[in-house]
Amino acid sequence: MSREDDERFLREALALAEAAATAGEVPVGAVVVKDGVIVGRGANRPIGSRDPTAHAEIVALREAATTLGNYRLPGCELYVTLEPCPMCVGAMLHARLSRVVFGAPDPKTGACGGATDLTAHPGLNHQTRFEGGLLAGPCGDTLRRFFAARR
């Protein structure tokens, strides 16, 4: 994908993050893309769904798996507004994604170099490429606005 495509898909995820914020959820959004087409969308919803696994990435992975008819998602890319946590990184690796692009870093719970780096473990049986920092400013601003309004 080109940088322009990456930005377009990350902006789609950012729109989902805004929808999560409107619903009172931490504003994180994600999309899964296969061959330039969005096959899965997700917005954070653990509060509303009473499900601790309902992170935006997991929601998007579930929809993509249903759309494509397979729990493995080879050749797919995931775009998410915040650095994924350990649970989400594990799911991404199990799904066999080819690439993950994330916006804002997460020094408290991020698992792609923030709090820890699960993606660098040499013993993994699948290697997904993780790239961070695209649209980090707008993605981080969405989170800052959300938490500032609650303080």
Side-chain angles (χ1 to χ4, degrees), residues 55 57 80 82-93 100 102 104-121 124 128-132:
H55 289 194
E57 301 95 308
V80 61
L82 182 65
E83 179 182 349
C85 73
M87 174 185 69
C88 292
V89 168
M92 292 168 190
L93 294 171
V100 173
F102 65 88
D106 186 352
K108 293 182 180 179
T109 62
C112 305
T116 189
D117 193 354
L118 298 179
T119 67
H121 192 283
L124 294 173
T128 296
R129 198 167 84 229
F130 288 81
E131 302 171 12

Side-chain angles (χ1 to χ4, degrees), residues 9-29:
F9 291 125
L10 197 50
R11 287 191 190 285
E12 289 283 336
L14 197 49
L16 291 165
E18 295 287 354
T22 299
E25 302 276 0
V26 174
V28 179

Side-chain angles (χ1 to χ4, degrees), residues 2-79:
S2 70
R3 180 169 172 90
E4 184 177 279
D5 289 331
D6 286 348
E7 286 186 9
R8 178 170 50 95
F9 291 125
L10 197 50
R11 287 191 190 285
E12 289 283 336
L14 197 49
L16 291 165
E18 295 287 354
T22 299
E25 302 276 0
V26 174
V28 179
V31 296
V32 177
V33 175
K34 172 83 172 177
D35 299 326
V37 176
I38 295 175
V39 294
R41 290 177 170 79
N44 254 11
R45 59 180 190 208
I47 298 167
S49 65
R50 296 174 191 81
D51 178 358
T53 69
H55 289 194
E57 301 95 308
I58 302 296
V59 174
L61 287 170
R62 287 176 179 155
E63 185 174 295
T66 298
T67 299
L68 298 174
N70 192 348
Y71 75 105
R72 299 280 196 224
L73 301 171
C76 289
E77 297 173 313
L78 186 143
Y79 296 83

Side-chain angles (χ1 to χ4, degrees), residues 140-151:
D141 289 345
T142 299
L143 288 156
R144 280 186 286 282
R145 280 192 309 273
F146 176 81
F147 287 113
R150 276 151 181 70
R151 290 188 183 113

